[in-house]
Amino acid sequence: MLQRQDLAQILKRNEPHLFDEETDHEDTYVNVVDLPDSHSCLVAPLYVKDYLLGMLTLDNRACGVFSPAIVNFVGTIAKLIAVIIAQKDSSTALMSLNRNLTEERNSLLRPEEEIFSDIYGNSPAWQRVLECIRTVAASDLPVLIQGETGTGKEVVARKIHDLSPRRDKPFITLNCSALNASLAESELFGHEKGAFTSAVMKRKGRFELADGGTLFLDEIADLPAEIQPKILRTLQEGTFERVGGETTLKCDVRLIAASNKDLRIQVEKELFREDLYYRLGVFPIFLPPLRDRGEDVIVVAEQLLNRLRENDNYRHHYFSPEAIESLLAYSWPGNVRELQNVIRRSALMAADGIIGKEHLSLERGKIPRSSRRLSSPEPGRNDWKEFSTMEDAIREHIEKALILSDGKIYGSGGAAELLDMKPTTLQSRMKKLGIGQ
């Protein structure tokens, strides 16, 4: 730089400079590019605040091609280039740091560690899920978790949060199903007092509550179309406004979304924005259904029973060999959630502590304790067939609704809604049938 005092002065002024054709100066590309003696030369420093990153040089073989407007434009472009270079440097350093953190976590955390104690499983399909959790946790990348109902999407989301640098910050959840556009906007972004009739006070939304932490949006495929571009904007810019508010607020949130629907198909059907899908799906994780996890069903069932054994009433409960065969043979349409409810119910029914096949009640269309056998009058057909009483059929239907709703009776997605009954009527029917007692 001591040899190029002219450049030193340009850098000090931090402004683009067009060399005067009448003024002698040393060519920037001397002995590098063969340019005619008379040519145009324009330079612009690359600064981010007070930090010098370099210098942009533009040369043209002709004279007088850089007008004052072009010089000003190059000055603007130089600022943008400087920001891009700085971001690239920061991103590279951050990626290196995250990679180191991930490697350290991978070396320290094994599937049997305490942090994974409630998402157990030894099958290759589930081990891949655990590896994905360990890999993505240290980053701030958005995560899209897809899988059937009951596969444990929220549990996986919590594990990602617990292993992330945000683990000491909030983990906020919102189920997007059954939310209309106005309610969804208020739930996500909050509202000001008086924004609508029932807004009697200011209320923070989920993005604001999750600032610095993680926001988990379950059933993201059901998010109203009107809200999707607002979510996209918040993800891209980190800003939002409360409903009825004029102030733009900032948030630093790591987003994890989940869906039991294939979002690619939703995009093809134009039910979900393609740009939002790609923004959310930076790191997708697919949770396999329980039927595809082989003998994991026994591992999970045993762990669920272990939890019950903490209660003195179930301390000596165990599965019979026939029960284990039945667990393996069943398809588990409700996945882990259904298995959990089956274990709770069967443990309650096994008064002697031995959970048998008859306590699981997994055979479709058969309730063991009250089934009746009717002879078939026509030759050539089965001699006998199982037939349940009306009371048992109603009991089975209610129990399935409770499994699908995870035991919830009231509200959206509750068993009463699924059965198209009043919650009080359902509770009365459950009491009469002895369900949940």
Side-chain angles (χ1 to χ4, degrees), residues 5-39:
Q5 289 298 319
D6 54 341
L7 295 181
Q9 291 299 318
I10 294 171
L11 292 174
K12 186 176 181 180
R13 292 196 301 269
N14 190 14
E15 293 177 352
H17 177 78
L18 178 62
F19 286 100
D20 191 340
E21 299 173 9
E22 304 299 328
T23 303
D24 290 335
H25 67 276
E26 185 175 347
D27 191 5
T28 308
Y29 293 111
V30 63
N31 298 325
V32 178
V33 179
D34 185 19
L35 294 171
D37 292 337
S38 296
H39 65 272

Side-chain angles (χ1 to χ4, degrees), residues 330-351:
Y330 188 59
S331 62
W332 300 107
N335 292 293
V336 177
R337 183 180 298 153
E338 180 183 4
L339 175 60
Q340 183 178 37
N341 290 331
V342 166
I343 299 303
R344 289 173 179 170
R345 183 179 67 243
S346 59
L348 181 62
M349 294 171 62

Side-chain angles (χ1 to χ4, degrees), residues 198-248:
S198 59
V200 295
M201 60 186 298
K202 181 178 73 174
R203 182 173 182 271
K204 293 182 178 180
R206 297 301 203 276
F207 272 102
E208 198 168 351
L209 293 172
D211 188 34
T214 303
L215 176 59
F216 174 61
L217 298 182
D218 200 5
E219 306 303 345
I220 190 72
D222 297 329
L223 190 69
E226 302 93 318
I227 303 301
Q228 293 179 23
K230 296 182 179 182
I231 292 279
L232 181 63
R233 175 218 170 183
T234 303
L235 288 176
Q236 291 175 336
E237 302 177 9
T239 60
F240 65 94
E241 291 85 29
R242 298 193 191 108
V243 177
E246 297 180 352
T247 304
T248 298

Side-chain angles (χ1 to χ4, degrees), residues 82-115:
V83 170
I84 292 171
I85 293 174
Q87 288 178 338
K88 175 63 176 177
D89 290 344
S90 298
S91 298
T92 302
L94 182 60
M95 288 174 63
S96 177
L97 176 61
N98 285 340
R99 189 161 50 247
N100 292 337
L101 285 172
T102 300
E103 291 173 355
E104 183 177 354
R105 288 179 186 276
N106 284 343
S107 65
L108 295 176
L109 291 174
R110 299 178 299 277
E112 62 270 19
E113 293 292 337
E114 182 68 24
I115 193 68

Side-chain angles (χ1 to χ4, degrees), residues 215-370:
L215 176 59
F216 174 61
L217 298 182
D218 200 5
E219 306 303 345
I220 190 72
D222 297 329
L223 190 69
E226 302 93 318
I227 303 301
Q228 293 179 23
K230 296 182 179 182
I231 292 279
L232 181 63
R233 175 218 170 183
T234 303
L235 288 176
Q236 291 175 336
E237 302 177 9
T239 60
F240 65 94
E241 291 85 29
R242 298 193 191 108
V243 177
E246 297 180 352
T247 304
T248 298
L249 304 175
K250 293 184 177 181
C251 65
D252 173 24
V253 172
R254 199 256 185 92
L255 187 67
I256 301 177
S259 176
N260 60 7
K261 301 175 183 176
D262 191 330
L263 287 189
R264 290 176 299 181
I265 295 177
Q266 297 299 106
V267 170
E268 292 173 1
K269 293 180 178 179
E270 299 185 352
L271 298 175
F272 199 83
R273 288 180 64 104
E274 185 176 18
D275 48 3
L276 180 57
Y277 166 68
Y278 287 118
R279 184 75 183 185
L280 294 173
V282 175
F283 196 98
I285 298 178
F286 176 74
L287 304 188
L290 193 54
R291 62 181 174 275
D292 291 344
R293 292 173 55 184
E295 295 188 357
D296 272 3
V297 63
I298 303 303
V299 176
V300 178
E302 185 61 34
Q303 291 294 336
L304 292 172
L305 188 57
N306 268 334
R307 290 187 188 178
L308 291 179
R309 289 185 182 120
E310 296 175 3
N311 186 314
D312 289 338
N313 295 328
Y314 305 109
R315 189 172 299 277
H316 302 293
H317 277 56
Y318 64 92
F319 296 109
S320 70
E322 294 77 16
I324 291 176
E325 291 179 5
S326 186
L327 290 171
L328 288 170
Y330 188 59
S331 62
W332 300 107
N335 292 293
V336 177
R337 183 180 298 153
E338 180 183 4
L339 175 60
Q340 183 178 37
N341 290 331
V342 166
I343 299 303
R344 289 173 179 170
R345 183 179 67 243
S346 59
L348 181 62
M349 294 171 62
D352 60 356
I354 304 174
I355 301 176
K357 178 180 179 180
E358 66 276 11
H359 300 124
L360 299 175
S361 302
L362 295 179
E363 294 183 38
R364 187 173 181 181
K366 180 181 178 182
I367 303 295
R369 55 180 171 179
S370 302

